[in-house]
Amino acid sequence: MSTLRLLRATGDLADVDLNDLGAYVRPTGPLRSRVAYAAAHVVPKVHADNTPGQPADIDWDSTLAFRRNVYSWGLGVADAMDTAQRNMGLDAAATRELISRSAEVAREEGGSVVVGVNTDHVADSHISIEQVIAAYLEQLHFTEEQGAGPVLMASRHLARVATGPEDYRRVYREVLSRASVPVVLHWLGTAFDPELKGYFGADDWQSASAVLLEIIEENPDRVAGVKMSLLNAESEISVRSRLPEGVRMFTGDDFNYVALLAPAPAPAPAPAPASDSPSARDAAERTGSARTEAVPSTATRALGEDRGYSDALLGAFAAITPVASAAIQALDASDHARYLEILGPTEELSRQVFAAPTFYYKTGVAFLSWLNGHQPAFQMVGGLHSARSLPHLSRIVELANASLALEDPDLARQRWHGMLRLNGVDA
């Protein structure tokens, strides 16, 4: 059996067995039980000046082939969003071209694509509320013209100029009133972008979510869903339980998506004791018959009580597309145990990819894309491929192998060992 060489943070080396390819098959029809989008990254040209501050020079063949692969597994594509290095190397001109090209590929493949709408094409760091509205509308109308679904992203410009909740209500009211199709609202937390502190007019999620829900309730026909990326399951469940009928919750929680997508089925009710005598109560306590199964956290308890589920719009699903597809296919077959067996191990991998500083998670997504043969080199626009350490990437390799997320294990081994040798590590 082949082995993978791993590099620990201490500098020590370790070998683990290389697992076989996961026995996953592409679906023969649409996925039914969940709507799932993989937030896709971009691939630069190998010979381009992929250094900090340089314009993005995209390898369109590899970038669009990645999206075709996502469609082949039954998932949709979320494009021109954070995973595509929006505001971290993907400039305004490249963003527009990406939206146009990605929408064309979606039409060719019969896939579903949603794309980010923001105000980030405006170079000035501080603009007025009126200019924020105009900037949002400019990108919104361009997106609609391309035939892509709009995701109204959180705006740094709005976060800087807003003085309270009413400014958020005003901006979203004005923009939503001029949308020709329902949009998805994106609430991005400060772990992903520290400049969005206090979004929706409050630092705490409880107050901010109240404003978000007011915006939705005022415009129920204009909002298709909400993508929450706070890495906080409790906040997502709270908002999800209060959404108007027909408005979807798209989890952006790359730490807790397994339970958010498919909470455990409710346990069968415990049989009532024969009497309420002390002896009956004592027996129930000893056997556990009067209690539900213990759970590790308040968030997990809330998941069980909510009994609902989220759909998905996840950067993690770009890193584990075949595994995510197989897990949703298991849900389609009403096989919750198989769903957990497939997707459960990937959460530790995702937590490593999205480890703090979380905004560098794109490096892990591109790294796995390279390991899995979807791009010719481990390079990123803006030089972001240097944002994670070699031991950090080694842990990604280890967890991807353990969760059967390596699409071609032998190729991944070859590429990883070559990278180790390039960095002076014996492999």
Side-chain angles (χ1 to χ4, degrees):
M1 177 178 286
S2 297
T3 59
L4 278 171
R5 174 138 293 190
L6 304 174
L7 176 66
R8 307 302 187 194
T10 59
D12 295 330
L13 298 176
D15 291 325
V16 297
D17 290 338
L18 180 67
N19 287 326
D20 293 331
L21 179 69
Y24 306 134
V25 296
R26 288 175 168 82
T28 56
L31 301 177
R32 302 186 308 277
S33 57
R34 300 292 184 272
V35 177
Y37 291 95
H41 72 302
V42 294
V43 182
K45 294 176 182 174
V46 173
H47 61 272
D49 185 1
N50 297 314
T51 53
Q54 294 301 312
D57 193 353
I58 306 298
D59 175 351
W60 291 112
D61 288 342
S62 297
T63 295
L64 299 178
F66 185 87
R67 284 140 182 80
R68 295 183 196 276
N69 179 68
V70 170
Y71 289 134
S72 76
W73 286 98
L75 276 63
V77 169
D79 223 332
M81 297 184 65
D82 302 283
T83 309
Q85 295 182 240
R86 192 91 178 242
N87 293 312
M88 290 186 72
L90 192 73
D91 56 90
T95 298
R96 286 174 67 91
E97 187 170 1
L98 175 62
I99 291 172
S100 178
R101 286 176 178 264
S102 187
E104 183 178 2
V105 167
R107 287 190 293 271
E108 293 171 356
E109 298 294 327
S112 178
V113 64
V114 294
V115 303
V117 170
N118 209 318
T119 63
D120 50 359
H121 63 288
V122 178
D124 295 338
S125 61
H126 289 80
I127 58 178
S128 68
I129 289 289
E130 291 75 15
Q131 290 171 312
V132 170
I133 294 169
Y136 262 138
L137 290 173
E138 181 179 343
Q139 290 199 22
L140 173 65
H141 295 329
F142 175 77
T143 294
E144 292 173 337
E145 289 169 0
Q146 306 312 306
V151 178
L152 206 60
M153 300 176 70
S155 164
R156 290 177 175 177
H157 288 114
L158 179 53
R160 294 185 192 115
V161 72
T163 58
E166 188 50 44
D167 285 333
Y168 288 92
R169 295 188 190 98
R170 177 189 170 190
V171 169
Y172 281 89
R173 183 186 307 121
E174 292 284 341
V175 175
L176 289 171
S177 70
R178 296 191 228 178
S180 63
V181 295
V183 309
V184 174
L185 304 182
H186 186 190
W187 186 2
L188 191 68
T190 53
F192 291 93
D193 189 345
E195 292 194 44
L196 298 177
K197 180 177 172 57
Y199 210 78
F200 292 117
D203 288 333
D204 65 287
W205 69 260
Q206 293 90 343
S207 300
S209 66
V211 177
L212 169 66
L213 287 162
E214 288 170 7
I215 291 169
I216 296 169
E217 289 162 3
E218 186 181 339
N219 305 274
D221 296 333
R222 304 276 182 168
V223 179
V226 179
K227 169 178 160 59
M228 285 186 62
S229 300
L230 303 189
L231 302 181
N232 180 327
E234 182 184 2
S235 64
E236 180 172 320
I237 296 160
S238 175
V239 173
R240 184 175 74 189
S241 67
R242 292 181 285 164
L243 288 176
E245 185 176 356
V247 178
R248 294 181 179 272
M249 171 59 72
F250 291 96
T251 186
D253 189 335
D254 300 276
F255 282 6
N256 302 294
Y257 54 82
V258 174
L260 287 165
L261 285 169
S275 72
D276 194 36
S277 65
S279 60
R281 289 197 300 271
D282 290 345
E285 288 294 322
R286 286 195 304 272
T287 62
S289 62
R291 292 179 280 177
T292 58
E293 184 180 354
V295 292
S297 68
T298 300
T300 308
R301 286 196 293 274
L303 284 170
E305 293 160 4
D306 179 61
R307 312 261 53 96
Y309 65 83
S310 298
D311 293 293
L313 200 164
L314 290 163
F317 276 15
I320 60 164
T321 299
V323 187
S325 174
I328 296 175
Q329 291 177 58
L331 287 182
D332 290 349
S334 301
D335 191 342
H336 189 270
R338 178 60 177 157
Y339 164 82
L340 289 178
E341 180 185 4
I342 294 170
L343 200 61
T346 69
E347 208 164 77
E348 188 176 2
L349 167 62
S350 184
R351 284 173 175 259
Q352 175 69 11
V353 170
F354 286 78
T358 300
F359 43 80
Y360 288 138
Y361 78 88
K362 298 96 171 171
T363 303
V365 173
F367 177 62
L368 283 166
S369 170
W370 172 66
L371 286 182
N372 286 326
H374 296 296
Q375 59 192 74
F378 176 39
Q379 288 199 25
M380 301 174 68
V381 298
L384 208 64
H385 46 280
S386 66
R388 294 295 201 186
S389 70
L390 205 58
H392 176 94
L393 297 176
S394 178
R395 182 62 174 157
I396 288 178
V397 172
E398 182 177 12
L399 294 171
N401 179 57
S403 59
L404 304 185
L406 297 178
E407 299 174 34
D408 185 338
D410 288 330
L411 175 64
R413 177 183 180 276
Q414 174 189 336
R415 289 189 164 188
W416 170 239
H417 286 186
M419 184 174 178
L420 286 176
R421 288 191 294 270
L422 183 64
N423 284 275
V425 177
D426 182 29

